[in-house]
Amino acid sequence: MNYPFWDIPFIGGGILIGLVAIIHTFVSQFAIGGGLFLVLTEIKAYKENNSGIIDYLKIHSRFFILVTLVFGALTGVGIWFTIGLVTPTATSALIHIFVWGWAIEWIFFFIEIAAAMIYYHTWDKINRKTHLTIGWIYFIAAWMSLFVINGILSFMLTPGAWIENRSFWSAFFNPTMLPSLIMRTAVSLALAGLYALLTSSNLKNEDLRKLMVKYSAKWLIVPFFILPLGGLWYVSVIPEMAFDIISGGAPAVTLFAVASIFFSILIFGFAYFLPYRHPERFPVALSALFLLMGLTVTAVSEWVREAIRKPYIIYDYMYSNNVLKVNEENVKQTGVLASAKWTIIDTKTETDTLKIGEQVFKLQCQSCHTVEGYNGVKILVKGWQEPFIDAQLQHLNQLKGFMPPFMGSEMERKALAKWLYELNRSY
Amino acid sequence: MESQVIIPDIDPIPVPAPLWLLKVLLLLTFTLHILAMNVAVGGGFIAAITEFLGKKRNSQNHLELSRSISKMLPPFTAFTITLGVAPLLFLQVLYGNFFYTSTILIAWPWLSIIVIFILAYYGYYLYSFRWEKLNGKRFAVVLISAILLAIIGLIYTQNIVLMLTPEKWKEIYFNNPHGTNLNISDPTVIPRYLHFMVAALAVAGLLVVMWGLKNIKSNEQLGKWGIRYGLLWFIIPTLVNIVVGLWFLISLPKNLLMLFMGENIYATIYFLIALVTMFASLIFMFIALNAVKPVMKIMFGKVFLLLTVVMMVLMRHELREAYLKPYIDWEKVQVEPQWGVITIFVLLLLGGLITVIWMLKKSFGKSSLVVHN
Ligand code: HEM
């Protein structure tokens, strides 16, 4: 309410953030695991004295920089842009808490980019040991940037002791920080394997292709065991409400959580029976399908991670509609319209109830709902009578535990109820 | 109520560092960002025109140069982003309530930056990796990429100006809350933008000069040609930019223009120094144009140019502070420095710099600017 609301018809801002975040996660986690893949595979090539593998790595590393330096880096900036636009209040809070965390992440980002370019350009130009060292620098910097950003991301769900002590360290080393770091690291290794399947199944030389396809498939084994452990730990420390949402409170979220697990098992299972057991019969098309499944898992998991944070955007601190928890009573007393900066309605002179209702919707609900599109409120209240709507508004947080309570004056609530009711009537 | 300017409240969470430190880091990283951008954008345009001239005149020199530039464009584009992320961070802590608001008003053009950038970047990689194979299409590929990057700059200037003019927000937002606005009608936007872009050509021209200097030992004719060609790329745009700069200055609201005419002592001093250093660098480059031994003259010219850039950045900062003066009370901003984390940041920054320098030394011991075969 402090900032103007960016009105995106039909899809809403949440979807936009999700879209950018999913693409970015899919590429940037590959950027991390892929770094380890490059160095370990390079070591393997030297040990086995196999120049074919080196030739493969040259191709793979070109693919690697084209994907990560360009697409990974820019979609990362894209997330920043998007969250600043859709949830400026929360972004501002995060920036105020973590600006030095981000500044540190930026250092690693810088090293990472420099190392990746140098690594790619110095094949055969410098001695093997130095080349490997640069590869290691790349991987360590990339993983460190995950380490930092993961602390900030996990903070939003479990701010932990920060709520009381406002300490940077409590915020960073929050309860879900470690389990989600473990999960993300495991995913990044798995993604390294998936991307490598794509480039290796494309090799012309028969023997080399067999060797590399099988080897790439092996990269999926370790994460297969680590992921469930990290997942269990994670689920055991998330807030109760979040747990309820996953385990049935919101059927769509449960479905997605199950889908995430299902597709993960599918990927690992297939990886064992196809490229691992029969690397000679593994076409490029199939590796593309694998990647697609990987993208699906990333998408549903990120979506679940976002969904379980409701009704908060920063748990116990800021509601999904950008109202600070400490201001809740305040807004209830003063009214939404009077507390909001960016509204044309003057509460003292405005008499059109529907107009007021619409404004209240914009300020209170639109951060998660659209009118007729995604999570569209028109369908949700279809068939409800006005008094019923009004009654529900008084217990929004009980109607669906993942909604914030309605914050506004009685007049505003009634106006909102009327506007919602009219949505289905007037057309 | 109606005519009031709406300014979002500053964040209730205190700023975790002294303001001066954040401002210094903002200006420092912004300067580096702009220099990298100059090469990425200006270099792209120079490459395109060099391709064109090379083809028309069937000149080997032009070909050699454009091939060398093709190798530099992707890394400098990477630096432009990496060095752009840092000021983006500090800008948000310092001026977040202005920046977020103006960005929301032009949300879609702003987001389009990401897509445009990805396209342009891949264009540069194509130009670089496929230089030989592209042959006849090189001119088009590099030109399109450069134009795309230049468009990003225009979106940036619009936002950076819009965040300074809260008077305009209300009307824009209530007419169109969908984020499809622009700020192109502000009379300062075009001259301000052109001032950056013309400078980009000049700075990239200097890189060509350096390329000439590097090559002079292995191929004197090519080196000499490169130096001269690069110097012209520096001198002509800089002369043009004197006019553009004046245009920008007079496009400013009267009270802000007066800042540089004595009203604000810092702004005026920066302005005067900038005028002196700018002319000094022009004179040195002019002399270098026909000098037998141009190395030292170019050195001085470069140093003076760098000073000019720094002065320009400082002037720009004073201008921003003046624009926002009615709306910010720095005294009221709560500050609670996280010294522990700041210390770690500084140590890691040093470590990071050492690491990157070590890598560069190990891998490009001589120089990457020399023509490879
Ligand atoms: C090649 C593409 C880009 C070009 C041509 C470009 C150009 C510019 C220009 C001309 C300005 C000055 C605007 C003004 O004062 O009128 C600027 C400012 C800025 N740029 Fe870039 N930019 C590019 C990419 C980026 C990227 C990708 C980022 C961030 C990741 C970025 C971050 C910034 C920031 C934060 C500022 C404002 C700094 C301040 O106001 O103190 N730029 N850019």
Side-chain angles (χ1 to χ4, degrees), chain A residues 74 77 81, chain B residues 26 30 33-34 37 41 80-81 84-85 87-88 91 117 149-150 152-153 156-157 160-161 192 196-197 316 320:
Chain A
L74 276 150
V77 179
F81 278 20
Chain B
L26 171 65
F30 172 68
H33 165 63
I34 283 299
M37 176 281 273
V41 178
T80 305
I81 317 172
V85 170
L88 189 60
L91 190 71
F117 203 117
L149 289 183
I152 295 176
Y156 257 96
T157 294
I160 296 296
V161 171
R192 179 171 176 145
F196 277 103
M197 289 301 130
R316 177 175 171 279
R320 164 150 64 206

Side-chain angles (χ1 to χ4, degrees), chain B residues 61 63-65 67-68 71 211 214-215 218-219 222 367-373:
Chain B
N61 289 347
L63 272 184
E64 289 294 355
L65 174 61
R67 175 159 57 191
S68 294
K71 300 282 172 283
W211 173 86
K214 287 265 148 81
N215 278 302
S218 54
N219 181 344
L222 179 69
S367 170
S368 56
L369 297 181
V370 184
V371 180
H372 291 293
N373 289 312

Side-chain angles (χ1 to χ4, degrees), chain A residues 6 50 94 125 131 138 163 166 186 205 249 296 298-299 301 307-308 405:
Chain A
W6 175 28
N50 185 339
L94 288 178
K125 295 210 178 96
H131 192 255
Y138 170 80
I163 295 288
R166 295 294 164 103
N205 179 322
T296 313
T298 312
S301 324
I308 59 177

Side-chain angles (χ1 to χ4, degrees), chain A residues 310-344:
Chain A
K310 289 179 177 143
Y312 294 104
I313 191 161
I314 297 173
Y315 228 87
D316 288 330
Y317 175 71
M318 188 185 294
Y319 283 114
S320 301
N321 54 15
N322 288 323
V323 179
L324 291 192
K325 202 175 173 194
V326 289
N327 289 343
E328 187 178 334
E329 285 312 312
N330 230 336
V331 177
K332 279 184 186 159
Q333 308 238 306
T334 327
V336 224
L337 295 177
S339 328
K341 278 185 182 266
W342 293 87
T343 173
I344 7 175

Side-chain angles (χ1 to χ4, degrees), chain A residues 2-9 11 16 20 62 65-71 73-75 77-86 88-104 106-118 120-122 125-127 130 133-134 137-138 144 162 166-169 317-318 324 341-344 346 348 359 362, chain B residues 1-2 6-18 21-22 25 29 71 74-75 78-79 81-86 88-90 92-93 96-98 100-101 103-108 110-111 113-114 117-118 121-122 125 128-130 156 169-170 173-174 177-180 336 338 340-342 344-346 348-353 355-356 358-360 362-364 372:
Chain A
N2 195 23
Y3 287 99
F5 181 83
W6 175 28
D7 190 349
I8 316 171
I11 60 167
L16 197 67
V20 184
R62 167 179 286 207
I65 60 164
L66 284 178
V67 172
T68 62
L69 290 194
V70 183
F71 212 74
L74 276 150
T75 48
V77 179
I79 294 196
W80 267 45
F81 278 20
T82 323
I83 60 171
L85 289 166
V86 176
T89 317
T91 308
S92 167
L94 288 178
I95 290 267
H96 277 74
I97 305 167
F98 288 116
V99 68
W100 294 111
W102 261 305
I104 288 170
W106 172 75
I107 298 171
F108 291 115
F109 176 57
F110 196 89
I111 302 175
E112 186 185 332
I113 300 273
M117 284 192 295
I118 295 173
Y120 169 72
H121 282 287
T122 50
K125 295 210 178 96
I126 54 178
N127 66 51
T130 316
T133 312
I134 289 169
I137 291 175
Y138 170 80
M144 281 305 295
W162 177 84
R166 295 294 164 103
S167 136
F168 172 89
W169 299 110
Y317 175 71
M318 188 185 294
L324 291 192
K341 278 185 182 266
W342 293 87
T343 173
I344 7 175
D346 187 341
K348 293 194 196 73
Q359 276 299 314
K362 286 200 161 148
Chain B
M1 289 293 270
E2 274 307 304
I6 311 178
I7 310 283
D9 296 328
I10 48 178
D11 205 280
I13 301 172
V15 175
L21 179 60
L22 292 167
L25 286 172
T29 52
K71 300 282 172 283
F79 292 141
I81 317 172
T82 355
L83 294 166
V85 170
L88 189 60
L89 188 59
F90 300 120
Q92 290 182 60
V93 212
N97 49 339
F98 300 92
Y100 294 129
T101 313
T103 310
I104 288 167
L105 303 186
I106 61 163
W108 284 115
W110 184 250
L111 264 188
I113 288 178
I114 304 296
F117 203 117
I118 290 176
Y121 203 167
Y122 278 130
Y125 261 118
S128 169
F129 282 172
R130 293 275 136 98
Y156 257 96
W169 295 347
K170 210 170 157 178
Y173 180 69
F174 289 127
H178 301 294
T180 46
E336 276 178 25
Q338 299 168 345
V341 200
I342 297 175
I344 295 176
F345 166 77
V346 172
L348 285 173
L349 186 61
L350 286 176
L353 283 176
T355 311
V356 172
W358 178 85
M359 288 193 294
L360 286 173
K362 279 284 174 185
S363 36
F364 305 102
H372 291 293

